[in-house]
Amino acid sequence: MIEALFFYVFSAVLIASALMVITARNPVHAVLFLIMAFFNAAALFVMLGAEFIAMILVIVYVGAVAVLFLFVVMMLDINFAALRVGMKKHLPVGLFVGAALFAELIWLYLSWQGSAGAAERVTMPTPDAAYITNTHALGHVLYTNYVYLFQISGLILLVAMIGAITLTLRDRAGVRRQKISEQVSRKPKDVLKIEKIATGAGVS
Amino acid sequence: MELMHIGMQHFLVVSAALFTLGVFGIFLNRRNVIIILMSVELMLLSIQVNLVTFSAHLHDLTGQVFSMFVLTVAAAEAAIGLAILVAFFRNKGSIAVEDISSLKG
């Protein structure tokens, strides 16, 4: 009963936030609604017993990806009103396609039945949550059975980082930088001069 | 489908609705690249809900592992997409992607 209430509250807020993301006028509002959608999806994941994925969603999606979106939205001076032109024109076709897609997916999901031998064909059985936490169980599996995929996903992130830096790094003229080799190879006789001053006389 | 006892199908309906909203968002906001990127993130989130739902109800950890890789790829793609957007904006001054036609013969 309480579980059903929690599920309906989280799902309703999730779907409402997703709707607001795509129809918001202000881009900052759209990103904030996306953040709310991620939080509610993380709550749904906790309900399903996948608490590691839920926390990773909050840390990575909300903490990195959504913040990145916010940076870009706030940095670029975008005329949002000019970009909403033509929205009404595409609305009927979009509604029709969306409704058809939703109907097909619902029909598929509500008539889904597991096959007879599905229980013994489970690849990585989830251990009982009373003995081992979800994080621990994922750790058992991720670094042993799925180690190649794990390393490849690390490579994907490396390539993404290099790509993002390459795309946006630019050399500006007139920026002063330190040349460490010049600093280190400086000799005292090039920059220092010892002068003998008589006592009481100043330096002119 | 019962209303009080939450089973797999309830979560799958949520996943379908999220995916549909993502597709609908791309349809509506054709000129606005940032909303398109956010709609893609919504679609990927719906796929993760789907994967974790099946993982929970089939007692199989594979769904959760795959969901983590989807998350990795989604983060990488968001970073690259936004870097392209920033580079484009620096050159053009607006993010209307209909204006990219300088290679058109």
Side-chain angles (χ1 to χ4, degrees):
Chain A
M1 176 63 196
I2 298 290
E3 183 194 354
L5 178 71
F6 273 130
F7 170 78
Y8 283 123
V9 165
F10 287 139
S11 327
V13 177
L14 171 60
I15 295 178
S17 320
L19 189 66
M20 290 307 298
V21 166
I22 64 180
T23 57
R25 281 179 203 274
N26 189 336
V28 177
H29 289 175
V31 178
L32 291 176
F33 277 118
L34 188 69
I35 291 177
M36 179 130 96
F38 286 148
F39 267 115
N40 284 283
L44 284 181
F45 285 167
V46 170
M47 279 186 69
L48 282 168
E51 68 258 15
F52 181 67
I53 307 255
M55 294 305 121
I56 290 292
L57 217 67
V58 171
I59 295 174
V60 172
Y61 258 150
V62 174
V65 173
V67 170
L68 186 62
F69 270 109
L70 263 178
F71 271 136
V72 170
V73 157
M74 288 186 175
M75 245 179 31
L76 306 184
D77 181 21
I78 302 167
N79 183 3
F80 237 58
L83 294 170
R84 283 171 69 95
V85 165
M87 209 182 195
K88 289 267 167 41
K89 196 173 58 160
H90 297 128
L91 193 64
V93 179
L95 273 176
F96 174 69
V97 169
L101 183 64
F102 188 62
E104 282 179 14
L105 284 172
I106 293 300
W107 179 59
L108 179 66
Y109 288 149
L110 290 184
S111 62
W112 185 85
Q113 285 163 5
S115 69
E120 57 252 8
R121 279 201 289 267
V122 164
T123 27
M124 305 285 152
T126 311
D128 192 0
Y131 299 112
I132 184 173
T133 58
N134 178 251
T135 312
H136 198 160
L138 276 174
H140 270 289
V141 153
L142 189 62
Y143 303 106
T144 52
N145 301 87
Y146 294 108
V147 64
Y148 293 133
L149 289 171
F150 180 70
Q151 295 297 332
I152 289 175
S153 71
L155 275 178
I156 290 177
L157 287 171
L158 176 70
V159 167
M161 181 176 79
I162 294 175
I165 292 177
T166 312
L167 279 168
T168 49
L169 184 65
R170 48 183 180 176
D171 277 331
R172 292 188 210 225
V175 172
R176 298 195 205 175
R177 291 195 171 85
Q178 296 191 30
K179 296 195 180 65
I180 308 288
S181 56
E182 281 187 18
Q183 291 175 359
V184 166
S185 63
R186 209 170 63 158
K187 297 206 174 20
K189 68 174 172 54
D190 295 331
V191 292
L192 277 181
K193 195 168 74 166
I194 309 267
E195 293 211 5
K196 291 219 182 292
I197 313 285
T199 316
V203 178
S204 64
Chain B
M1 198 175 89
E2 293 183 28
L3 277 184
M4 274 303 129
H5 176 68
I6 303 296
M8 177 173 67
Q9 294 166 339
H10 298 79
F11 285 97
L12 292 179
V13 167
V14 170
S15 160
L18 269 181
F19 191 80
T20 308
L21 281 172
V23 170
F24 187 51
I26 295 187
F27 256 95
L28 277 188
N29 297 291
R30 276 176 210 204
R31 307 186 63 189
N32 196 339
V33 177
I34 293 187
I35 305 290
I36 291 180
L37 282 172
M38 286 200 268
S39 305
V40 171
E41 294 296 325
L42 276 179
M43 287 197 274
L44 287 166
L45 181 69
S46 83
I47 295 305
Q48 289 188 39
V49 171
N50 201 334
L51 280 167
V52 173
T53 303
F54 274 106
S55 159
H57 284 89
L58 295 175
H59 301 286
D60 192 349
L61 276 179
T62 312
Q64 295 183 29
V65 174
F66 197 56
S67 166
M68 267 177 43
F69 293 135
V70 168
L71 197 145
T72 304
V73 170
E77 162 251 327
I80 294 283
L82 289 170
I84 292 177
L85 183 67
V86 165
F88 179 71
F89 184 78
R90 276 187 192 157
N91 286 328
K92 290 282 181 168
S94 84
I95 62 167
V97 289
E98 298 173 331
D99 294 343
I100 318 177
S101 57
S102 45
L103 280 181
K104 221 187 237 181

